[in-house]
C-alpha cells in the first residue's frame, strides 16, 4: 500500500519507464517513526495470459470510448482514462494511437518496487544503495556478487552510525556515506530543504510552516510522491524544538481517502492526477485548511491567519543563506516566459562547466547529459515542464574527463545540500530560541510526585500564559497567543515538567542548552523583551561540523561477501529482478561481528534500564496510558492503522473522532468559562484568573474552528468552504419556504414588564434566521467562513449559541440529508452533551461581535422614560440626545416632539458609556423630570439603562437643561435564571437621586452616610482608578464610570463636600456645592486684588489663579449645565490635570467655609483634609484622558 500507493501500474515501450524513487513514513501509536525508501521500476511481463487479458481489457475500454465523444482519458497506460477534445475530428485516431495495446506490436511492462525500511531517515544513503541495486539488475554485466550478499550486508552487517560520527558502507559498485549529528546538534534530517525551497519559494514555505505551528489542517498536493515527502518532512524538521502531535500521513494511499474527513488537525499528502484541476477536488472541510499545490507553486491559506513574528526580517535572513548556495529565494522558475531563455542558459552552463565530465565525444541528447548531474537535474525537470525541446548538441571534446571528477562533484553536491540543510534549520531554531528564551520562568513546576501529576494532568495549569504574553513584544502577540494554545506547545511544556523525574527529551535537552548559551553570551535581564530581530550566529560552525564528518570517515562497515547459498538459484537475467533466497536473508551472522555484538550489548543495557525504571517509577503501560489521555485528542488518532480497513474499523475510528470532539468541546468551554469568570473561579480552585482580550479572542477563534470541524465530520453534501454556513443556508431556505406557506404570526419572547410611565422598549424577537440576515447584510465580510464566524460570535454575545444550534439540529430530515450515519451531529447523546457544554457559556458576558466588527452600521433604538406622576407627560420644548460608546458617539440628534421613542443607525459605538440628554427650554411646559433613558443595540440585543431621576429645566432642581448619564448593561431574563453567582459584575451606572443630598428625594430623605463611610468611599473610588491603570491597556474598562459612576470619584467627593453642609432652604431656595465654590472664587479674586503680603497666600497664589480660571471657564461654557453638572466637570478636569490635591486645601481654608459648613464638617477637620490630599496624590502619576462628552465646550 505504501510502496505502490496507486497499486500496480502497466506500461508499454512507448511510455516513460524511468525508475522512480520515493519514501514514506509509518507513525506508531506512541509517536515513534519508521522510514521506508522505495525504488519503483518496470519489468517486462513474460506471462502470455496477462498480456492477452490486457489486450481484451483495452478493446472493451475503447469500444466504450467510441460510443461517447465526451469521455475522459490520459495519454499514459497508468490510467485507462483520457480526455477527447470537443469536436476534434482526429480524436478517434488519437485514441487508437495512444490508448491501445496490441499484443503483437507492443511490449507490456509492469511496476515492481524494492524497499528499505530504516529506524532513522537516511534518505540519501538509501536512495544511492537502491539505485545501485537496480543498476546491477539492468546492466549488461552481472554484479560482482549475488544480490543476496549486498542485501544481507546492509540488513545485518551495516550498523547505524553512532551520534556525531560518519559511516562508510559498500553498495554494489561504489561506497555510500552517511552521517549522524552529535547529541548537542539538531536531530538528523536527510531530506534536502533546497528542494522544499525550490518547490514552494521562501514566502510560501514560511506561511505553510506557520500553519503547521498553529495546528491547522494542511493538505499537500502533487503528482510526485517524493515531493510530498520532501515538503512534509522538510517542514516538520523545521519545527524544532516542537513536534507535530497529530495525524501525519505525507502520502495518503488511495484506499485511505476517507481520512481527509478527520475532524482533527492533520498534515497529509495527496497525489494529484495529471491535468486535474484544484477546483474539481472535493474536500470535506476547508474552513481551517491550508492547501499546498506543490507542482503549481501555489498555496491557499485559512482566514484569520496571524503572521509569523518578524516575518520580513526572517525571510530576508533565510534568503541570504539560500543566495550563498546560488538558490533563488522565490523558488524554481515556473513561469512560461522564462522557458524561451532556458535552453540557452542550460547550454551556456554546460559549456562553462568543466567539471561535467563523463560525456562522450559525440552528439548526445541534453536530456541524457543532464541525467548524470544532480546540480543541473533541476533545470532538466524545468525544461521538460515548460516544453523546451531536448535537442541533440555537439560538445567539445575537452568535456570528456575522468569518471572520478563526476563522483567528486556528486559528493560536493551532497555536502552542499547537507550544509544548506543545517544552516536553514539553524536560522529557524534561532527564532524559537530568541522567542522562548525565558519560557522556563513561566513553567508552573509542581512539587508532587510524577504519578499524581500524571493523574491530575488535565486539571492542572502548567504554563502561566497570561504573564508570558504580557512579557512579549506587541507585534508577536497575535501569533504567540494562538501558538501557546496548541498541542505541540502543551507537549513541550509537559516534557519540561517530566524532566524533573526522568531523562530529558532529546529535543528539549538541545533547546535548553542553546538557551543557556544565549544567556552566557548576552547576559540580558530575563524580563526585557525586544522585537528587534537578532540573526543566527552559529551558521558557520554548524556547516563546519558537517564538513568535518563527511571528509573524515569515522567508521567503515564490513564489505559484502559471498554467503553460504544454493548454487543456481536466482540466476542472473538482465532486466529481471531475481527471486531472492529467503532462507539466507532470514538470519543474521553469528555474533563474531564487533558491530553486532556492540548493538546487542546496547540492546541488553536498554532492556535492563527499562526494567529498573519500571520498578522505580510506576508501570510504564499505566504511565503511557496517562500520558496518552493527558495529551489531548488528536494524539491517539495520529495515524490510521493501515492493516485493517473493514467498515467496522472505519466506524470505530469515527467513534474515536466523536469522543475526541466532545472532549475538546468540554475542555474549551470550561477554559473559556474559567478565564472569563475571574476571581470567583480562582476561589473555586480553578487556577489563574487573568484573561487578556487577546487571549479571549484566541479562545473564541479556536471555538469557531472546533464548530467548523464538528460540522465537517461525516459530511455527505458539501457546498462552499464552510460546512456550518452551508447547513445554516439550507436551514434558512427551508424555514423561509415554510413561512411563505403558513404566514403564521411569530411568537415573541415573554412580554416585558412596563415601567411606571407605560413607555418601554418593544421585545426583540429571538430568531436564528434574523441573526443570519444581520450577518448577510454585513458587506465587510466576503466569504462563507467569515460569515459563519461572525454568526458564531453574534450568537455567543447574545447568549443564544446553544439555543440556535439546537434549533438548527432540530430539523432532522435536513441533518439526515447532509450527514452520514456516523457523523458527530447524528450521535444523539453526544450532540446533547455538546449543546449542554455550549449552554454553560451563557453564564458570562461576551462582547466578541461588538469588539471585532467595529466598522459596521448598527441600528439602535432609544426610549426616554419620564416620571409622569410628577412632571408633564407632554413638553413644549425641543429635546435632543447624544449617545456615546467606547468607539465613538452619534453627535446631537433631535428627538421628534412628544415622541419618547426613536430608532437611529450609526457606525458601531462599541459598549455604550454615556448619554447626554437636554432640551432648549422653549414654550410654557419646559420642565421635564426624566426617570431614565434606555438604548438597545438592535443586532446584539444589548440594552443599556442610563438612570437620571432629575429635572431638566430652568428654575427647578439645579437649573440644568442638559445632563450626562452613565450607562449600565441590563441583564436579560435568561441570565437571571442562571443565578447571580456566575455573572460578571455589572457596569456602574449614573448617580441616582439617593446620593444627591442637595435634593429632597421623591420618597423622602435618604439616610446620610457617616464620616467613616464617606472616607471609605473616597479610598475605594481612588483605589479603583489605580487598579484601572495597572491593567494592560486592552483590558481596561471605562474610566468615565470610575470618575462619574455611582461609586465614582465625583460621587465620593460630593459626599465629602455635602458632609455638614448647611443646605437648608433659605427663602425656598436650594443651596448647592457649586454655590460654595463660586463664593470661594469671589474671595480669591478679591484677595488677589488687595495683594495681601502674608506668606501662605503668596505660596498659594498660582493655585488660586488656576482654580479661578477653571471655575470661570466652566461658568462661561456654551452649555446649559446645572450646578451639580458643573461640579462634576470641575472634579474631572482637576483629576485630569492633577490639581485636586492643590485645590482641596484652598477650599478648606476659605472664610466662606465657616458660614456654609457646620463645626463638625469633614472639610473643617485638618486631619481629614490632609488624609484626603494624600489619597488624591496617589493618582498623580497617571495620564487621564476624559471622554469628550464630559467636558464638551469647556475651554481651559
Amino acid at each position: 500500500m505504501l510502496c505502490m500507493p496507486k497499486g500496480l501500474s502497466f506500461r508499454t515501450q512507448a511510455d516513460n519507464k524511468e525508475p522512480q524513487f520515493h519514501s514514506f513514513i509509518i507513525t506508531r501509536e506512541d509517536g515513534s517513526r519508521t522510514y521506508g525508501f522505495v525504488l519503483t521500476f518496470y519489468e517486462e511481463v513474460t506471462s502470455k495470459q496477462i498480456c492477452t487479458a490486457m489486450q481484451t481489457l483495452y478493446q472493451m475500454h475503447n469500444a466504450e470510448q467510441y460510443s461517447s465523444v465526451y469521455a475522459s482519458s490520459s495519454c499514459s497506460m497508468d490510467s485507462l482514462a483520457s480526455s477527447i477534445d470537443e469536436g476534434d475530428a482526429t480524436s478517434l485516431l488519437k485514441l487508437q494511437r495512444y490508448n491501445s495495446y496490441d499484443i503483437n506490436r507492443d511490449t507490456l511492462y509492469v511496476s515492481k518496487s524494492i524497499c528499505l525500511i530504516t529506524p532513522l531517515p537516511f534518505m540519501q544513503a538509501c536512495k544511492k544503495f537502491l539505485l545501485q541495486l537496480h543498476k546491477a539488475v539492468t546492466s549488461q554485466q552481472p554484479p560482482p556478487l549475488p544480490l543476496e550478499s549486498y542485501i544481507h550486508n546492509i540488513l545485518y552487517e551495516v550498523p547505524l552510525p553512532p551520534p556525531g560520527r560518519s559511516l562508510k558502507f559498500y553498495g554494489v559498485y561504489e561506497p555510500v556515506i552517511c552521517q549522524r549529528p552529535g547529541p548537542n546538534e539538531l536531530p538528523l534530517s536527510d531530506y534536502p530543504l533546497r528542494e522544499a525551497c525550490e518547490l514552494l519559494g521562501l514566502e510560501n514555505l514560511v506561511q505553510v510552516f506557520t500553519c503547521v505551528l498553529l495546528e491547522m489542517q494542511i493538505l499537500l498536493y502533487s503528482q510526485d510522491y517524493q515531493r510530498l515527502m520532501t515538503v512534509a518532512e522538510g517542514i516538520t524538521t523545521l519545527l524544532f524544538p516542537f513536534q507535530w502531535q497529530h495525524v501525519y500521513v505525507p502520502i495518503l494511499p488511495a484506499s485511505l481517502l476517507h481520512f481527509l474527513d478527520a475532524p482533527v488537525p492533520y498534515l497529509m499528502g495527496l497525489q494529484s492526477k495529471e491535468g486535474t484541476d484544484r477546483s474539481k477536488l472535493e474536500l470535506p472541510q476547508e474552513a481551517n485548511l491550508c492547501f499546498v499545490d506543490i507542482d503549481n507553486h501555489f498555496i491557499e491559506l485559512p482566514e484569520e491567519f496571524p503572521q509569523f513574528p518578524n516575518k520580513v526580517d526572517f525571510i530576508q535572513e533565510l534568503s541570504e543563506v539560500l543566495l550563498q548556495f546560488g538558490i533563488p529565494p522565490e523558488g524554481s522558475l515556473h513561469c512560461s516566459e522564462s522557458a524561451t531563455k532556458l535552453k540557452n542558459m542550460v547550454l551556456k552552463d554546460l559549456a562553462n562547466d568543466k567539471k561535467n565530465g563523463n560525456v562522450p565525444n559525440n552528439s548526445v541528447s541534453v536530456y541524457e547529459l543532464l541525467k548524470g548531474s544532480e546540480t543541473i537535474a533541476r533545470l532538466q525537470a524545468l525544461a521538460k515542464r515548460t516544453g523546451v525541446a531536448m535537442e541533440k548538441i555537439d560538445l567539445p571534446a575537452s568535456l570528456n574527463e575522468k569518471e572520478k571528477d563526476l563522483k567528486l562533484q556528486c559528493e560536493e553536491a551532497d555536502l552542499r545540500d547537507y550544509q544548506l540543510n543545517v544552516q536553514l534549520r539553524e536560522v529557524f531554531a534561532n527564532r524559537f530560541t530568541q522567542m522562548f528564551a525565558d519560557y522556563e520562568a513561566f513553567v508552573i513546576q509542581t512539587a508532587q510526585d510524577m504519578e499524581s501529576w500524571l493523574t491530575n494532568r488535565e486539571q492542572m495549569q502548567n504554563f502561566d500564559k497570561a504573564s508570558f504574553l504580557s512579557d512579549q513584544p506587541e507585534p508577536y502577540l497575535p501569533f504567540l497567543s494562538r501558538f501557546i494554545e496548541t498541542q505541540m506547545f502543551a507537549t513541550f511544556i509537559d516534557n519540561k515538567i517530566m524532566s524533573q523525574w526522568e531523562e530529558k527529551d532529546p529535543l528539549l535537552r538541545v533547546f535548553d542548552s542553546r538557551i543557556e548559551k544565549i544567556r552566557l553570551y548576552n547576559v540580558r535581564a530575563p524580563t526585557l523583551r525586544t522585537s528587534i530581530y537578532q540573526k543566527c550566529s552559529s551558521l558557520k560552525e554548524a556547516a563546519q561540523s558537517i564538513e568535518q564528518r563527511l571528509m573524515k570517515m569515522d567508521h567503515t562497515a564490513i564489505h559484502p561477501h559471498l554467503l553460504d547459498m544454493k548454487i543456481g538459484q536466482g540466476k542472473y537475467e538482465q532486466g529481471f529482478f531475481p527471486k531472492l533466497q529467503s532462507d539466507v536473508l532470514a538470519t543474521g551472522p553469528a555474533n563474531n561481528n564487533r558491530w553486532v555484538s556492540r548493538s546487542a550489548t546496547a540492546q541488553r543495557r536498554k532492556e535492563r534500564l527499562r526494567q529498573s525504571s519500571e520498578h522505580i517509577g510506576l508501570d510504564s503501560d499505566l504511565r503511557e496510558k496517562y500520558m496518552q489521555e493527558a495529551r489531548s485528542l488528536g494524539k491517539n488518532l495520529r495515524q490510521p492503522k493501515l492493516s485493517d480497513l473493514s467498515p467496522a474499523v472505519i466506524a470505530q475510528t469515527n467513534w474515536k473522532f466523536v469522543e475526541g470532539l466532545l472532549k475538546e468541546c468540554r475542555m474549551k468551554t470550561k477554559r473559556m468559562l474559567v478565564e472569563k469568570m475571574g476571581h470567583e473561579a480562582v476561589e473555586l480552585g480553578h487556577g489563574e484568573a487573568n484573561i487578556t482580550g487577546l487571549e479571549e479572542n484566541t479562545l473564541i477563534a479556536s471555538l469557531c474552528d472546533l464548530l467548523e470541524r464538528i460540522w465537517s465530520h461525516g459530511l455527505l453534501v458539501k457546498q462552499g468552504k464552510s460546512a456550518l454556513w452551508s447547513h445554516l443556508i439550507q436551514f434558512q431556505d427551508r424555514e423561509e419556504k415554510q413561512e411563505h406557506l403558513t404566514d403564521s404570526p411569530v411568537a415573541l419572547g415573554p412580554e416585558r414588564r412596563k415601567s411606571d410611565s407605560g413607555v418601554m422598549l418593544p421585545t426583540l424577537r429571538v430568531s436564528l434566521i434574523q441573526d443570519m440576515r444581520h450577518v448577510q447584510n454585513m458587506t465587510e465580510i466576503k466569504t462563507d467562513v467569515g460569515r459563519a464566524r461572525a454568526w458564531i460570535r453574534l450568537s455567543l454575545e447574545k447568549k443564544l449559541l446553544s439555543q440556535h444550534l439546537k434549533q438548527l439540529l432540530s430539523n432532522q430530515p435536513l441533518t439526515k440529508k447532509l450527514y452520514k450515519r456516523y457523523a458527530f451531529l447524528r450521535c444523539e447523546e453526544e450532540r446533547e452533551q455538546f449543546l449542554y457544554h455550549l449552554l454553560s457559556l451563557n453564564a458570562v458576558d461576551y462582547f466578541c461581535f461588538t469588539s471585532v466588527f467595529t466598522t459596521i452600521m448598527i441600528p439602535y433604538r432609544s426610549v426616554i422614560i419620564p416620571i409622569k406622576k410628577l412632571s408633564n407627560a407632554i413638553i413644549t420644548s425641543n429635546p435632543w440626545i447624544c449617545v456615546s460608546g467606547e468607539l465613538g458617539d452619534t453627535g446631537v440628534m433631535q428627538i421628534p416632539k412628544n415622541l419618547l421613542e426613536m430608532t437611529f443607525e450609526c457606525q458601531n459605538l462599541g459598549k455604550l458609556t454615556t448619554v447626554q440628554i437636554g432640551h432648549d427650554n422653549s414654550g410654557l411646559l419646559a420642565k421635564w423630570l426624566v426617570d431614565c433613558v434606555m438604548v438597545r443595540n438592535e443586532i446584539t440585543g444589548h440594552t443599556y439603562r442610563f438612570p437620571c431621576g432629575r429635572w431638566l429645566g430652568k428654575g427647578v432642581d439645579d437649573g440644568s437643561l442638559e445632563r450626562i448619564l452613565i450607562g449600565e448593561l441590563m441583564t436579560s431574563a435568561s441570565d437571571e435564571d442562571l443565578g447571580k453567582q456566575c455573572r460578571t459584575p455589572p457596569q456602574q451606572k449614573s448617580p441616582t437621586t439617593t446620593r444627591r443630598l442637595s435634593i429632597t428625594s421623591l420618597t423622602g430623605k435618604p439616610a446620610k452616610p457617616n464620616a467613616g463611610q464617606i472616607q471609605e468611599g473616597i479610598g475605594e473610588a481612588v483605589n479603583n482608578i489605580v487598579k484601572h491603570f495597572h491593567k494592560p491597556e486592552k483590558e481596561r474598562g471605562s474610566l468615565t464610570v470610575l470618575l462619574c459612576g455611582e461609586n465614582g470619584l465625583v460621587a465620593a467627593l460630593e459626599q465629602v463636600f455635602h458632609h455638614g453642609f448647611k443646605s437648608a432652604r433659605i427663602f425656598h431656595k436650594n443651596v448647592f456645592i457649586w454655590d460654595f465654590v463660586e463664593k470661594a472664587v469671589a474671595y480669591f479674586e478679591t484677595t488677589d486684588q488687595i495683594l495681601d503680603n502674608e506668606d501662605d497666600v503668596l505660596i498659594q497664589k498660582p493655585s488660586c489663579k488656576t482654580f479661578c480660571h477653571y471655575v470661570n471657564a466652566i461658568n462661561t461654557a456654551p452649555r446649559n449645565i446645572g450646578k451639580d453638572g458643573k461640579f462634576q466637570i470641575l472634579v474631572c478636569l482637576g483629576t485630569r490635570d492633577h490639581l485636586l490635591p492643590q485645590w482641596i486645601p484652598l477650599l478648606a481654608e476659605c472664610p466662606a467655609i465657616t458660614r456654609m459648613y457646620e463645626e463638625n464638617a469633614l472639610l473643617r477637620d485638618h486631619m481629614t483634609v490632609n488624609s484626603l490630599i494624600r489619597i488624591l496624590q496617589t493618582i498623580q502619576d497617571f495620564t487621564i484622558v476624559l471622554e469628550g462628552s464630559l467636558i464638551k465646550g469647556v475651554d481651559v
Side-chain angles (χ1 to χ4, degrees), residues 601-614:
T601 39
Q603 189 59 40
R604 279 200 297 277
R605 194 184 313 117
K606 247 189 199 167
E607 193 60 32
R608 267 203 311 279
L609 270 171
R610 191 181 65 78
Q611 287 168 352
S612 64
S613 73
E614 279 179 18

Side-chain angles (χ1 to χ4, degrees), residues 536-551:
C536 180
S537 54
S538 57
L539 295 182
K540 213 169 184 181
E541 64 186 81
Q544 280 169 352
S545 61
I546 287 266
E547 189 168 3
Q548 282 165 5
R549 266 204 298 278
L550 287 174
M551 289 303 158

Side-chain angles (χ1 to χ4, degrees), residues 900-915:
L900 297 170
E901 186 181 326
M902 67 183 276
T903 51
F904 56 91
E905 194 176 70
C906 66
Q907 191 169 313
N908 186 355
L909 299 172
K911 288 183 197 171
L912 301 187
T913 51
T914 62
V915 157

Side-chain angles (χ1 to χ4, degrees), residues 450-468:
M450 183 161 90
E451 192 170 343
S452 56
W453 180 80
L454 286 169
T455 317
N456 302 313
R457 166 70 192 86
E458 263 189 36
Q459 282 75 46
M460 298 173 77
Q461 226 185 352
N462 294 331
F463 191 72
D464 185 351
K465 294 175 181 173
S467 306
F468 173 75

Side-chain angles (χ1 to χ4, degrees), residues 880 882-884 913-918 933 946-952 958 960-967 989-992 995-996 1040-1041 1044-1045 1050 1119-1122 1124-1126 1128-1130 1132 1187-1194:
W880 56 267
C882 173
V883 183
S884 304
T913 51
T914 62
V915 157
Q916 295 164 69
I917 184 172
V933 177
F946 297 86
C948 177
R950 309 277 311 257
W951 285 93
L952 288 144
D958 65 347
S960 182
L961 287 183
E962 63 173 272
R963 293 199 183 279
I964 298 165
L965 311 178
I966 311 296
K989 52 196 177 198
S990 42
T992 51
R995 74 148 171 93
R996 304 280 186 182
T1040 307
V1041 168
C1044 309
V1050 174
R1119 288 177 73 173
N1120 296 309
I1121 303 165
D1124 283 344
K1126 289 175 178 176
Q1128 176 170 295
I1129 293 175
L1130 183 68
C1132 289
E1187 199 173 310
S1189 61
L1190 295 178
I1191 51 166
K1192 202 187 281 179
V1194 180

